[in-house]
Amino acid sequence: ACGAREGSSVGSQKDRVVTEEEWLQKWESGNIGFHKEQGHPLLQQYLDVLLNGRSGLRVFFPLCGKAVEMKWLADMGHSVVGVEVSEQALKEFFAEHSLPYCEEPVPEIPGAKKLQSISGNISLYCCSIYDLSSSIVGKFDGVWDRGALVAVNPRDRQRYVSLMITLMEKNSSYLLVTVSYDPNKHKGPPFYVPESEIKSLFGNHCEIKCLQKVDDFSDKHRKWGLDYFLEVLYILKFVA
Ligand code: SAH
């Protein structure tokens, strides 16, 4: 069910750049069609694959926005770390879940802040992901990457993946959601990342398995000029 859709040109997107300023602007104007108020059904469905029988995990949410899945995992007893450039997004997250939090500077990163739930199990860094390293945030047992790799500018993909690999613990699992559509018809984000590229980006460091492809086509995608839109879920296993 998960054969690669080869032959699509991704060259049309490779030079596209969305600046941090543009992301902040999207949050300010409420242009956040990517946010899923009810959370993502694929995480619900494949949670067991991510957890793999383990409890009390450290789970990382790159480019987290105000993803409600962070609350789900914290409520299950895991410890959640996210990173997001928009402080507004992070404040909305805490407000919408009525979670009290405190703010502190991050000594290693000038200008960055850490917003942490008072209960202590959700720590959200307000800075660029490229400012993080394992010496600042530690390593993770699990990752939920949805709207993250696909939101990274194509020219920064290798850098993003190299960084993510340094944040993975031995025997960790990484759920990755990508999207598939005709990249000649929409400039992104989200950007189309073909399976062949997932393999070349991560392949040397982990086992990759495509778990599911789901039709996610909606009116929004029709307005973008598309005639199909799929979500593709992978599990990446960072074997010891
Ligand atoms: N993962 C979230 C948000 C997806 S949209 C979800 O599933 O809802 C991508 C998010 O990445 C935006 O909120 C944007 O502000 C943030 N972002 C973009 N570039 C970033 C960077 N370099 N570092 C951290 N966050 C970034």
Side-chain angles (χ1 to χ4, degrees), residues 45-58:
Q45 202 181 334
Y46 288 95
L47 184 65
D48 292 347
V49 175
L50 181 65
L51 302 181
N52 198 17
R54 302 167 298 169
S55 56
L57 302 190
R58 295 192 79 228

Side-chain angles (χ1 to χ4, degrees), residues 59-98:
V59 183
F60 185 48
F61 284 70
L63 282 65
C64 61
K66 54 174 181 177
V68 303
E69 299 86 354
M70 298 193 285
K71 176 74 165 49
W72 294 354
L73 287 175
D75 286 346
M76 290 176 225
H78 304 290
S79 143
V80 167
V81 175
V83 62
E84 166 59 52
V85 285
S86 167
E87 183 170 354
Q88 179 185 339
L90 301 180
K91 292 195 159 161
E92 287 180 14
F93 172 80
F94 288 115
E96 288 170 13
H97 298 284
S98 308

Side-chain angles (χ1 to χ4, degrees), residues 105-162:
V106 182
E108 300 91 334
I109 313 172
K113 274 188 201 174
K114 180 164 90 170
L115 282 62
Q116 185 166 30
S117 62
I118 297 297
S119 54
N121 55 351
I122 306 180
S123 298
L124 306 181
Y125 288 80
C126 185
C127 61
S128 171
I129 188 166
Y130 305 113
D131 294 330
L132 297 183
S133 64
S134 62
S135 60
I136 302 171
V137 292
K139 294 197 182 217
F140 298 97
D141 309 303
V143 168
W144 172 245
D145 181 321
R146 183 268 171 180
L149 175 65
V150 298
V152 162
N153 290 320
R155 64 170 191 193
D156 298 325
R157 243 173 236 162
Q158 183 65 64
R159 180 183 181 197
Y160 170 85
V161 169
S162 301

Side-chain angles (χ1 to χ4, degrees), residues 223-235:
K223 285 179 191 134
W224 291 354
L226 302 178
D227 36 39
Y228 69 90
F229 189 94
L230 304 170
E231 285 186 311
V232 186
L233 178 71
Y234 300 91
I235 179 78

